[in-house]
Amino acid sequence: MVNPDRHLYYEPGLTREGIEPTLSAGERLIRGILLVGFVTVLAVEAWLLWQVWQLWA
C-alpha cells in the first residue's frame, strides 16, 4: 500500500557516488585525439556530400 505521508526525494547537490575521478593527462590526450578524429570524419563526409551535390545539380 502507498503511504502518502512518506516523502521520497534526493537532496540537491553532488553525492559521493556521483563524483567521477578526474582524468589523467594520457586519458585527456586520448579523448582529444578521438574528438579531433570524429570532427575530421564529419568534415570529410560533409565535403563528400557537397561533391555529390555538385555533380547531381
Side-chain angles (χ1 to χ4, degrees), residues 18-51:
I19 298 174
E20 295 182 10
T22 59
L23 298 176
S24 68
E27 291 169 334
R28 284 194 306 265
L29 179 64
I30 291 171
R31 184 176 282 188
I33 290 170
L34 288 173
L35 178 64
V36 168
F38 180 71
V39 170
T40 302
V41 167
L42 287 179
V44 169
E45 287 182 2
W47 180 77
L48 288 172
L49 284 172
W50 178 255
Q51 295 300 314

Side-chain angles (χ1 to χ4, degrees), residues 6-26:
R6 185 175 178 193
H7 299 287
L8 295 177
Y9 62 93
Y10 293 105
E11 293 288 330
L14 297 175
T15 61
R16 191 69 172 145
E17 296 84 24
I19 298 174
E20 295 182 10
T22 59
L23 298 176
S24 68

